[in-house]
Amino acid sequence: MRVLPRTKFGNPILRKKAKSVPVKTIRMPSFQRLINQMFFTMKWIGVGLAAPQIGKSIQSAVIEVKPIRLRPNVVPFPKTVIVNPKITQYSKKQILDWEGCLSLPGVRGMVPRAESIKVKYLDEKGKPHSETIKGFPARVFQHEIDHLNGLVYVDRMKDMKTLMTESEYKERVLKKK
Ligand code: NI
C-alpha cells in the first residue's frame, strides 16, 4: 500500500465544501480501498485525515487516536470512518489545546474547540451513527469535519501568536508538560 500524495494549504480543494457520498458508493470496493489508503497515509503521523487532504472533495474522513511523537500522552480512540458527518450540538464549554495539520506541515497552534459534540455520520458500511464525543477525540472530529466544509484550523485560532514550528513546540511546550 502506498502513502497518498497530500494537498497543502493554498490548494483550493481545502477551501471547498466537499460533496456528500451516496450510501451505495460507500460499499463499493474503490471506496473501501480509498479508506484503507487514508488510514495507511496518516499512520504514525496523524490522528485524522479528511478526503480533501488527499485531493478528493468528498465528505469522508478517517480518525484514529494513538500516542504519537508530538502527542505522547493521549488516550487512544479506535479507528473510525466518518462519512457525511453533521455536528448537531456543541457544548458551551470550550477547551484550548494545540493542533497541527498534515496539510500545514511543521507548524502548530492553539485552537479553541467545544469540549463535547453530538455528531451524526455513516460508517464504512453505510451504517448511521449518532454519538456524543468528548475530550480530545471531539477536537479531532471538529478538525476533520471542518476540512469537509472548507475550513482549516488556523481559521479557528483566536490568538495567532501561538502559531509555532514543531521544533519550537517540542522545545517550549512538550518539554514542560
Ligand atoms: Ni487537518
Side-chain angles (χ1 to χ4, degrees):
M1 199 171 290
R2 72 192 175 99
V3 170
L4 298 167
R6 301 191 314 257
T7 55
K8 305 283 163 63
F9 276 32
N11 189 318
I13 204 167
L14 292 172
R15 292 313 198 165
K16 269 171 66 178
K17 187 172 168 63
K19 286 203 181 76
S20 74
V21 182
V23 177
K24 65 174 195 299
T25 302
I26 299 175
R27 302 199 183 105
M28 287 166 84
S30 56
F31 187 84
Q32 297 296 318
R33 197 158 50 235
L34 177 72
I35 292 300
N36 288 336
Q37 285 183 319
M38 286 173 70
F39 274 119
F40 185 75
T41 298
M42 74 156 186
K43 206 177 176 184
W44 309 122
I45 45 172
V47 291
L49 184 70
Q53 294 185 274
I54 44 102
K56 303 234 183 269
S57 193
I58 56 169
Q59 293 271 333
S60 310
V62 299
I63 291 169
E64 182 183 18
V65 177
K66 52 189 173 187
I68 56 169
R69 188 170 51 92
L70 291 172
R71 225 180 259 284
N73 302 316
V74 285
V75 178
F77 187 83
K79 272 183 154 182
T80 303
V81 176
I82 55 171
V83 180
N84 304 339
K86 286 256 166 2
I87 297 175
T88 56
Q89 212 174 305
Y90 295 86
S91 64
K92 280 207 187 82
K93 188 175 177 192
Q94 292 205 325
I95 306 266
L96 198 58
D97 200 359
W98 294 93
E99 288 186 22
C101 182
L102 297 176
S103 296
L104 184 60
V107 175
R108 298 173 81 70
M110 286 199 105
V111 187
R113 297 281 188 189
E115 183 190 36
S116 72
I117 53 164
K118 277 191 185 162
V119 62
K120 290 184 176 171
Y121 63 92
L122 304 177
D123 68 15
E124 69 280 11
K125 296 186 176 107
K127 189 181 153 211
H129 290 251
S130 180
E131 289 167 5
T132 299
I133 311 282
K134 293 181 181 148
F136 182 67
R139 173 172 297 277
V140 180
F141 272 72
Q142 289 170 81
H143 178 118
E144 300 312 328
I145 292 169
D146 268 358
H147 274 306
L148 304 180
N149 292 301
L151 292 170
V152 290
Y153 78 88
V154 292
D155 301 335
R156 301 285 193 191
M157 287 176 67
K158 290 285 183 293
D159 182 2
M160 291 306 290
K161 289 178 186 155
T162 65
L163 200 65
M164 63 169 78
T165 65
E166 279 182 13
S167 54
E168 293 291 340
Y169 174 81
K170 273 183 242 162
E171 201 57 39
R172 293 168 201 288
V173 183
L174 213 50
K175 277 190 182 168
K176 289 182 182 135
K177 268 187 177 171

